Amino acid sequence: MPPFQSNKNILSLTEDLLVRIYEILVSESDRKSFRLACREFLRIDSLTRKHLRILRIEFLPVLLHKYPRLQSLDLSACPRIEDGVVSLLLSQVGPASNSLRFGNWTRGLKSLVLSRATGLRFSGLEMLARACPCLESVDVSYCCGFGDREAAALSFAVGLRELNMDKCLGLTDVGLAKIAVGCLKLEKLSLKWCMEITDLGVDLLCKKCVDLKFLDVSYLKVTNESLHSIASLLKLEALGLMACPLIDDVGLQFIERGCPLLKAIDVSRCQGLSSSGLMFVVRGHGNLLELNAGYCLSELSTALLHQIKNLKHLEVIRIDGARIPESSFQVISANCKSLVEIGVSKCVGVTNMGLMRLVSGCINLRVLNLTCCHSITDAAISAIANSCRNLVCLKLESCNMITEKGLCQLGSFCLLLEEIDLTDCCGVNDKGLEYLSRCSELSCLKLGLCSNISDKGLSYISSNCKKIHELDLYRCTGIGDDGLDSLSSGCKELKKLNLSYCNEVSDRGLGYIGRLEELCDLEMRALNKITGVGLESVAAGCKRLADLDLKHCEKVDDLGFWALAYYSRNLRQINLSYCAISDMALCLVMGNLTRLQEAKLVHLCNVTVEGFELALRACCIRIKKVKLLATLRFMLSAEILETLHARGCIIRWD
Amino acid sequence: MDLKDKVPRHASFTQHQQKWEDPSILDYSRRIESPFLAFNQTHTSQIKVPVQHGVVNELVQASKVQDWDPSAMLDNLSFLEQKIHQLQDLVHLIIGRKGQVLGRPDELVVQQQQLVTADLTSIIVQLISTAGSLLPSGKHTLSAATPSLEQSGQFGGVVFPSAQGLNDGFQPQNAGGCKVSGLPNSVDISRKNGNEQNHIIEEHELKDEEDVEEGESLIPGTYEILQLEKEEILAPHTHFCTICGKGFKRDANLRMHMRGHGDEYKTPGALAKPNKESGSEPTIIKRYSCPYTGCKRNKDHKKFQPLKTILCVKNHYKRTHCDKSYICSRCNTKKFSVIADLKTHEKHCGKDKWLCSCGTTFSRKDKLFGHIALFQGHTPAIPLEEAKAPAGPSDQGDSNHAANKVGSMNFNFSSNVSSESEVQSSMDIKGNVDDPAGYFSPLSFDTCNFGGFHEFPRPPFDDSESNLAFLLSGSCNYPHTSGED
């Protein structure tokens, strides 16, 4: 144990106690405060830190040296991660001072998140896979350019248990076979949108990786043959089959007889399925915990219901989009007592009476999705609030008949409510928000299109719901600067805010927004009163801002953009479409914001072709996705387009 | 099973001429001689002579031909006349029935056509034969006898059929497993044994000899087991010219060669096959044993599985007990001990785009994945750098394409390639290539309307050049552009 002075303060605690304290701190900002307290705490932080998510690659070498016990590294938020960088990070040789530092960090690494690391290619991946002997989890989702070579590189990580390859568009059966043969310990694999994969690949996977517990083949063009192979997986617990258009009831018959440990199945949006297919699954798996059949049934048939009745342990059921006979609710309520989540959005036949019967039995409900169940009224909300005291999430979008009476019941009984979606509920008014504000745990509140609320209503929320993280005020035209004033003083933890089309908001309001230090996602489309001054105060205040949408903010001038370029160094996505930004400011923004990964730059009337060219040159080494007007395609130099392409940048031509 | 049942076709060689693998004109003449003999009862004694007495047979035949009898000639000519009249009547009959034929199945029409063709053929053969008897042929006895004697010498110590046996060694004595498209047996073909046997060759050689017999289950003891020694199996030539010593794989080719040594070798008698097998005679079934001790194909093995023909023995021995010395020039990985296998491979080498990490290639993805599922640690190989791809594939694609064309062109001869390359030496081929026309000129067969006849003398060891040369010179209508790279 290192000796240190025993002062009569917290520093007198031994190292292991400090470590324990540190481990209690969950949120990143708390940990930041901890390590900024003193050198000793910083040392504790360095010693204990297991996870690292970095925003800038240039700090990585130092950080890797600083945190010797790193187990998990997240590079997904970091642009410019590419083969050369990886090789540099892994290289043993180099400056003498660095030679010892490097090479070690990979030894304990178990998890690697490389999502959207589009600059990376197979050689870099292979180096990483070979250098990390303990690697268990890799996420390369949304690396659209990845294919078989990258998969082959990943297959060198022989200890891999979890792999996410969602939207690796180049992946074919060959690459999948590489992984299946190389990573025999694989337990969790997600292959969403890997459109080239066929039954052959899935079949081989199921033959080789017999330990698979989780498999997601959503959106693939696999057929019943694949289900036949999957059915042989004895350890499979969760199966994702979302939107597989080629599977049908016959395929689910295989699942009925196989996968003895299956707990969760997602067949939502599978157009080829019917009730009878689901009946096979339900009949074969009495211990099913989760059944997601959204938008795949036209009607919840009585035969299927009769089978579902037997699922005593069922916790989650989603049957969005189906027609539900009123009697079904009674059956579910009487039999599926363990239900925690019910999704009946856009279902026809969801009535007050039905919901009342449902909640009379399912008192443990925590999540209820009633989106677009137009016919429900306050009576249903009242029954829900009375029965389901543990409700955490309630989605009521487009439930027009709900008024402040319903919200009053919720505010009285559902005190654990964390998320409520009241988008497009025109019955919600200031009084309703006052009732709702009694739910002090509320962290996500969606009030889009609620034109009957005003600053007064928002002030109730602001003063009582201190934990709000996300607030959606899209087209809440009654909200003005004063509402933002109260919001910024009350909801200090706000991370995500949507102010689009709140026409009353002016530069003064944005000044208040600037006080929200945690804000990282701000959407403020078409605020036609704001100017560069307002943007400057936001940029200067919201240091964490990562995602900014300024579309149609036509009065914002270069002053604001300069400020943006100067202050918002953490900006990752920006939408400047229809803005009056000039050549100079655009170049500055694109060049200065070193974390920027995605930019939407259409209809910039003050920007010339040269301006675009320069701006793209300024950001080409890190930008991952850019949206431009199609006419520019033939006006920009071929060189810059090639460079962007070579860097893995996707250009969307509008 | 009886040959006659197996091969119900009558004179169907018009269909099959393109497929005949045997470039030997003598074979041909022998084959078509049979029908003639069938009509000409004076010669029946000859066909009854068993195979084993080939030499005697030859002598008999030679002596018969030698003393020319004008009255016999007249008989022959009048027979021919009679025959032509018969044929005329037949054709008339067919024409007369045309109206009624409409409703009938096509088979009957084909039959009739074949009937006519067969008769025509027999007439032609008889003509030739008659003409041939006029030629001066003092040394017939010697010339005809020599090859057969020599052959029997070659296989001294082994119970083995002489000349005929070797030449027809790969004719299965029972046509087990041979598929013969079923044309109704409407005509008397019982004595057209030569014809039948040749059909069997065609059909039989389309398959892999070793595979064909897998299903066979002969009761031990009901057949004769022959075992060739290793040297004999691997010997490139089994027939040697007594005059110059040049070696040949086929007696037929030797006989062709002999023509160059003097006119006496050009008589039909000398050119004819030394002996004929009588199909009506039940023959002892022969099976072969591999000389390699411990091999399942060796007669001392507990579960001995005999090989059916000499060709089977050769292929089996080379494949199983010899080095694989033929390497594919395209992929440089695949090795073969039988050149025919190499050729088969080369036909689709490069087209097998599904490659396993172990080097095995597959033409189908599912086969590769089945392979990978079966073997631990095998993975599909990812094709080389994309950078190479644009230049490489296009290039290769072209050549492949050309090769494919040639391949498909050769498709009819697929049996040909394997059999000939087995049996013929490169020297033989040269002879073939050099003078394809001369090959047939003595009997002027090229004047006959036998479509595709020119395609017989295919060079078996076709490096692309000779192959294409052949194609261009032959009657084949393959576009010349294919020869270009």
Side-chain angles (χ1 to χ4, degrees):
Chain A
M1 183 182 300
F4 59 86
Q5 284 69 38
S6 51
N7 301 328
K8 287 188 176 139
N9 56 21
I10 194 166
L11 282 175
S12 61
L13 294 174
T14 57
E15 188 181 273
D16 55 332
L17 286 175
L18 282 175
V19 168
R20 284 200 177 190
I21 293 169
Y22 175 81
E23 278 166 355
I24 293 166
L25 305 174
V26 178
S27 91
E28 193 46 48
S29 55
D30 291 345
R31 291 196 165 188
K32 189 178 179 183
S33 312
F34 180 87
R35 67 174 172 262
L36 290 176
C38 65
R39 275 180 188 282
E40 180 60 20
F41 281 17
L42 182 65
R43 200 179 64 82
I44 296 294
D45 175 70
S46 305
L47 282 180
T48 8
R49 194 181 183 88
K50 292 196 170 74
H51 176 75
L52 185 64
R53 179 174 189 263
I54 67 155
L55 307 178
R56 287 197 175 79
I57 198 81
E58 45 271 38
F59 301 135
L60 190 56
V62 184
L63 290 170
L64 290 176
H65 171 235
K66 219 167 121 185
Y67 301 111
R69 302 207 178 158
L70 218 52
Q71 289 185 354
S72 161
L73 182 61
D74 184 347
L75 299 174
S76 62
C78 175
R80 293 175 62 190
I81 172 92
E82 56 191 27
D83 294 353
V85 174
V86 170
S87 135
L88 193 72
L89 289 173
L90 294 171
S91 62
Q92 300 280 350
V93 285
S97 55
N98 286 348
S99 57
L100 276 178
R101 301 176 183 180
F102 292 168
N104 276 343
W105 63 274
T106 56
R107 255 182 228 163
L109 207 65
K110 286 184 178 168
S111 165
L112 197 53
V113 180
L114 295 166
S115 185
R116 296 180 203 277
T118 47
L120 207 59
R121 281 292 175 269
F122 64 93
S123 55
L125 266 184
E126 187 176 329
M127 283 188 272
L128 277 171
R130 286 180 184 276
C132 306
C134 303
L135 206 58
E136 287 181 358
S137 164
V138 172
D139 182 352
V140 289
S141 56
Y142 299 97
C143 294
C144 301
F146 278 21
D148 293 342
R149 290 175 182 287
E150 284 73 20
L154 284 172
S155 70
F156 288 109
V158 289
L160 214 59
R161 292 178 192 276
E162 292 182 15
L163 178 60
N164 187 344
M165 296 201 78
D166 290 352
K167 218 157 193 178
C168 291
L169 296 176
L171 186 68
T172 72
D173 291 338
V174 172
L176 184 59
K178 284 272 182 197
I179 287 168
V181 173
C183 315
L184 295 171
K185 294 179 183 169
L186 216 56
E187 289 175 7
K188 189 171 176 180
L189 179 63
S190 185
L191 298 168
K192 276 189 192 124
W193 294 291
C194 298
M195 305 299 282
E196 301 292 316
I197 286 176
T198 69
D199 293 336
L200 279 177
V202 176
D203 181 56
L204 188 72
L205 177 76
C206 297
K207 280 179 182 153
K208 295 284 180 184
C209 301
V210 290
D211 290 335
L212 272 176
K213 288 180 181 165
F214 174 98
L215 179 62
D216 195 336
V217 292
S218 296
Y219 303 96
L220 301 195
K221 300 232 164 16
V222 294
T223 69
N224 294 337
E225 285 297 307
S226 282
L227 291 181
H228 185 250
S229 313
I230 289 168
S232 67
L233 291 170
L234 296 177
K235 296 182 180 174
L236 195 73
E237 291 173 12
L239 175 61
L241 296 170
M242 194 194 289
C244 294
L246 302 181
I247 62 168
D248 59 32
D249 298 343
V250 180
L252 289 188
Q253 230 169 338
F254 297 127
I255 300 293
E256 177 193 358
R257 288 178 230 127
C259 305
L261 298 180
L262 196 70
K263 296 275 183 290
I265 187 166
D266 185 346
V267 292
S268 54
R269 295 172 205 275
C270 289
Q271 293 157 357
L273 292 182
S274 72
S275 293
S276 52
L278 277 173
M279 277 163 64
F280 293 133
V281 174
V282 173
R283 194 165 60 200
H285 301 279
N287 290 323
L288 211 62
L289 298 183
E290 189 176 330
L291 176 63
N292 190 344
Y295 306 103
C296 92
L297 297 177
S298 56
E299 183 178 359
L300 183 63
S301 67
T302 43
L304 176 58
L305 199 68
H306 187 71
Q307 294 288 344
I308 289 176
K309 206 164 70 174
N310 300 324
L311 299 175
K312 300 295 177 199
H313 305 284
L314 195 68
E315 289 177 358
V316 178
I317 183 166
R318 297 192 196 106
I319 41 176
D320 307 317
R323 207 179 70 79
I324 306 179
E326 202 173 88
S327 58
S328 322
F329 292 104
Q330 178 67 46
V331 178
I332 292 172
S333 168
N335 294 285
C336 306
K337 298 283 188 189
S338 326
L339 271 179
V340 170
E341 178 178 343
I342 295 180
V344 287
S345 74
K346 302 203 179 183
C347 284
V348 182
V350 180
T351 59
N352 285 341
M353 189 57 78
L355 283 175
M356 283 175 197
R357 287 192 179 139
L358 180 74
V359 295
S360 67
C362 303
I363 52 170
N364 295 319
L365 272 187
R366 289 163 59 82
V367 180
L368 184 55
N369 186 350
L370 299 172
T371 301
C372 296
C373 295
H374 302 289
S375 62
I376 64 166
T377 66
D378 291 333
I381 302 300
S382 177
I384 291 165
N386 276 300
S387 305
C388 311
R389 303 291 172 95
N390 294 327
L391 204 65
V392 170
C393 173
L394 181 60
K395 294 190 174 172
L396 297 169
E397 183 184 339
S398 274
C399 295
N400 292 311
M401 317 239 266
I402 289 168
T403 67
E404 70 265 22
K405 287 175 196 156
L407 298 181
C408 177
Q409 295 291 311
L410 284 175
S412 308
F413 302 109
C414 298
L415 298 180
L416 298 177
L417 203 63
E418 289 176 15
E419 182 180 349
I420 185 162
D421 187 347
L422 294 168
T423 305
D424 209 8
C425 294
C426 48
V428 175
N429 53 23
D430 289 343
K431 193 72 183 162
L433 289 185
E434 188 185 355
Y435 293 131
L436 192 63
S437 69
R438 281 184 257 165
C439 303
S440 57
E441 295 294 317
L442 215 55
S443 72
C444 175
L445 177 60
K446 292 186 177 168
L447 297 168
L449 296 161
C450 293
S451 47
N452 294 329
I453 61 169
S454 69
D455 292 340
K456 198 181 165 195
L458 193 56
S459 68
Y460 295 125
I461 297 292
S462 307
S463 50
N464 294 318
C465 307
K466 301 285 186 191
K467 293 186 177 174
I468 293 256
H469 277 96
E470 181 179 349
L471 181 62
D472 185 354
L473 297 171
Y474 177 80
R475 285 190 199 267
C476 291
T477 45
I479 300 291
D481 293 339
D482 295 331
L484 297 184
D485 186 9
S486 59
L487 187 71
S488 63
S489 50
C491 305
K492 286 290 185 189
E493 292 182 26
L494 201 64
K495 284 193 165 73
K496 190 173 178 184
L497 178 63
N498 191 340
L499 288 174
S500 296
Y501 305 97
C502 296
N503 302 322
E504 297 304 311
V505 175
S506 71
D507 285 343
R508 183 170 65 93
L510 290 191
Y512 302 128
I513 297 296
R515 288 192 241 154
L516 296 166
E517 288 184 6
E518 297 292 324
L519 198 68
C520 59
D521 187 341
L522 178 61
E523 190 180 319
M524 42 186 218
R525 288 188 180 181
L527 298 191
N528 44 33
K529 281 187 182 174
I530 65 160
T531 66
V533 181
L535 183 58
E536 185 183 357
S537 43
V538 168
C542 309
K543 299 279 194 202
R544 289 176 173 267
L545 204 60
D547 197 338
L548 181 64
D549 193 334
L550 291 169
K551 191 176 177 181
H552 278 299
C553 289
E554 285 156 19
K555 283 191 182 161
V556 176
D557 50 21
D558 277 1
L559 186 72
F561 293 115
W562 283 340
L564 197 69
Y566 183 76
Y567 291 111
S568 298
R569 297 301 181 86
N570 288 322
L571 212 58
R572 206 171 51 192
Q573 287 188 40
I574 193 165
N575 188 348
L576 295 173
S577 301
Y578 295 98
C579 283
I581 191 168
S582 71
D583 279 355
M584 276 300 295
L586 184 66
C587 289
L588 208 60
V589 166
M590 300 299 281
N592 242 25
L593 301 179
T594 51
R595 256 195 77 199
L596 202 65
Q597 295 186 9
E598 188 179 336
K600 290 179 179 157
L601 307 172
V602 295
H603 299 292
L604 305 183
C605 52
N606 293 341
V607 179
T608 62
V609 176
E610 290 75 30
F612 277 113
E613 178 88 24
L614 279 173
L616 289 173
R617 275 174 197 274
C619 69
C620 64
I621 59 163
R622 56 181 170 266
I623 197 92
K624 289 179 182 171
K625 198 172 174 183
V626 64
K627 184 178 173 184
L628 296 169
L629 269 188
T631 47
L632 278 175
R633 187 174 205 157
F634 307 102
M635 294 152 87
L636 291 170
S637 73
E639 188 192 347
I640 184 66
L641 295 182
E642 276 165 26
T643 311
L644 286 169
H645 181 72
R647 290 271 169 176
C649 175
I650 299 163
I651 305 178
R652 192 174 137 202
W653 300 103
D654 197 34
Chain B
M1 200 187 288
D2 200 328
L3 276 174
K4 284 173 275 185
D5 299 339
K6 273 279 179 181
V7 191
R9 241 178 322 187
H10 160 63
S12 57
F13 49 77
T14 40
Q15 298 176 324
H16 283 273
Q17 271 169 348
Q18 285 135 331
K19 285 208 232 166
W20 277 342
E21 71 299 317
D22 197 338
S24 158
I25 201 68
L26 294 170
D27 251 10
Y28 186 75
S29 70
R30 178 184 61 79
R31 177 168 53 232
I32 50 180
E33 200 167 2
S34 311
F36 163 63
L37 292 172
F39 292 110
N40 192 347
Q41 294 303 316
T42 56
H43 286 8
T44 32
S45 63
Q46 281 184 5
I47 13 170
K48 294 246 164 113
V49 179
V51 184
Q52 283 79 4
H53 306 299
V55 182
V56 183
N57 171 26
E58 196 62 34
L59 287 170
V60 171
Q61 193 185 32
S63 62
K64 278 222 165 188
V65 171
Q66 207 171 359
D67 42 8
W68 178 58
D69 184 4
S71 62
M73 172 70 89
L74 193 64
D75 282 348
N76 280 343
L77 288 175
S78 55
F79 173 77
L80 271 172
E81 193 185 14
Q82 203 184 337
K83 188 71 193 162
I84 288 170
H85 279 301
Q86 276 179 8
L87 195 59
Q88 225 172 351
D89 291 343
L90 182 66
V91 176
H92 274 303
L93 196 68
I94 292 168
I95 294 167
R97 282 187 189 167
K98 265 274 150 70
Q100 305 159 16
V101 164
L102 279 173
R104 291 195 204 170
D106 286 348
E107 283 170 2
L108 284 173
V109 182
V110 174
Q111 273 176 34
Q112 286 170 342
Q113 199 185 339
Q114 284 168 349
L115 204 66
V116 174
T117 322
D119 286 352
L120 270 173
T121 315
S122 84
I123 291 163
I124 292 161
V125 171
Q126 195 173 13
L127 254 177
I128 291 160
S129 175
T130 313
S133 66
L134 292 171
L135 292 169
S137 47
K139 291 178 187 171
H140 258 186
T141 319
L142 184 67
S143 66
T146 321
S148 16
L149 278 172
E150 187 187 273
Q151 284 144 20
S152 47
Q154 275 281 313
F155 290 88
V158 186
V159 188
F160 187 76
S162 57
Q164 164 99 34
L166 185 71
N167 235 349
D168 297 346
F170 38 83
Q171 298 176 8
Q173 266 75 8
N174 81 343
C178 292
K179 277 185 285 181
V180 179
S181 53
L183 286 166
N185 184 4
S186 60
V187 192
D188 165 37
I189 53 156
S190 59
R191 282 177 231 169
K192 293 170 188 157
N193 197 27
N195 219 344
E196 287 161 356
Q197 284 194 338
N198 274 287
H199 288 309
I200 292 163
I201 297 170
E202 297 156 21
E203 303 290 346
H204 187 72
E205 287 180 357
L206 288 171
K207 297 179 184 173
D208 186 276
E209 278 77 6
E210 286 189 51
D211 293 343
V212 171
E213 53 155 353
E214 283 295 346
E216 184 190 57
S217 56
L218 283 173
I219 303 150
T222 60
Y223 55 93
E224 188 179 358
I225 299 170
L226 309 172
Q227 180 171 302
L228 279 76
E229 289 314 310
K230 181 188 164 194
E231 290 72 25
E232 287 160 345
I233 291 171
L234 298 178
H237 306 139
T238 45
H239 307 273
F240 293 91
C241 172
T242 47
I243 297 167
C244 68
K246 187 175 174 182
F248 296 90
K249 276 193 176 177
R250 292 177 189 231
D251 181 47
N253 294 327
L254 173 61
R255 278 178 277 148
M256 271 296 131
H257 164 83
M258 294 307 283
R259 289 174 306 153
H261 288 304
D263 283 346
E264 65 266 35
Y265 300 106
K266 288 181 181 169
T267 60
L271 289 168
K273 259 199 167 170
N275 45 33
K276 285 170 215 62
E277 198 180 341
S278 160
S280 52
E281 292 286 317
T283 50
I284 302 163
I285 300 169
K286 294 186 191 69
R287 288 295 177 267
Y288 298 85
S289 157
C290 169
Y292 194 92
T293 321
C295 174
K296 202 177 184 180
R297 304 297 196 169
N298 184 275
K299 59 189 174 194
D300 298 328
H301 192 276
K302 262 188 268 176
K303 293 178 181 173
F304 172 55
Q305 284 190 323
L307 292 152
K308 201 174 274 176
T309 66
I310 289 185
L311 195 62
C312 292
V313 176
K314 289 189 170 204
N315 280 344
H316 160 78
Y317 193 84
K318 285 182 191 166
R319 281 179 186 142
T320 325
H321 310 298
C322 290
D323 288 340
K324 298 187 171 184
S325 48
Y326 300 110
I327 302 171
C328 174
S329 56
R330 256 188 238 178
C331 62
N332 274 324
T333 45
K334 288 273 193 176
K335 294 179 181 177
F336 303 92
S337 51
V338 176
I339 199 155
D341 294 350
L342 172 68
K343 294 197 169 302
T344 314
H345 161 77
E346 276 180 337
K347 264 184 213 158
H348 53 88
C349 177
K351 278 196 283 180
D352 286 352
K353 50 180 183 166
W354 300 105
L355 177 67
C356 177
S357 54
C358 69
T360 319
T361 55
F362 300 86
S363 54
R364 281 167 54 182
K365 188 176 166 190
D366 55 337
K367 299 291 173 197
L368 168 65
F369 275 68
H371 167 85
I372 286 164
L374 206 59
F375 295 99
Q376 288 282 313
H378 289 210
T379 65
I382 297 173
L384 287 170
E385 279 300 328
E386 254 88 68
K388 281 186 181 177
S394 64
D395 231 356
Q396 210 171 11
D398 281 351
S399 61
N400 273 352
H401 193 53
N404 290 353
K405 278 187 175 175
V406 174
S408 64
M409 176 58 215
N410 288 347
F411 184 72
N412 281 342
F413 310 108
S414 58
S415 61
N416 211 356
V417 173
S418 58
S419 65
E420 281 191 331
S421 58
E422 284 305 318
V423 187
Q424 280 192 315
S425 74
S426 50
M427 284 214 278
D428 284 325
I429 303 142
K430 266 187 196 155
N432 290 348
V433 178
D434 286 349
D435 189 16
Y439 213 97
F440 307 104
S441 52
L443 298 177
S444 305
F445 255 130
D446 46 354
T447 56
C448 300
N449 188 18
F450 291 161
F453 193 67
H454 292 287
E455 292 170 18
F456 282 8
R458 277 202 61 249
F461 287 84
D462 45 345
D463 55 323
S464 61
E465 202 182 338
S466 62
N467 191 4
L468 291 167
F470 152 70
L471 287 172
L472 295 178
S473 67
S475 63
C476 138
N477 53 0
Y478 186 75
H480 289 200
T481 47
S482 71
E484 296 162 12
D485 269 340

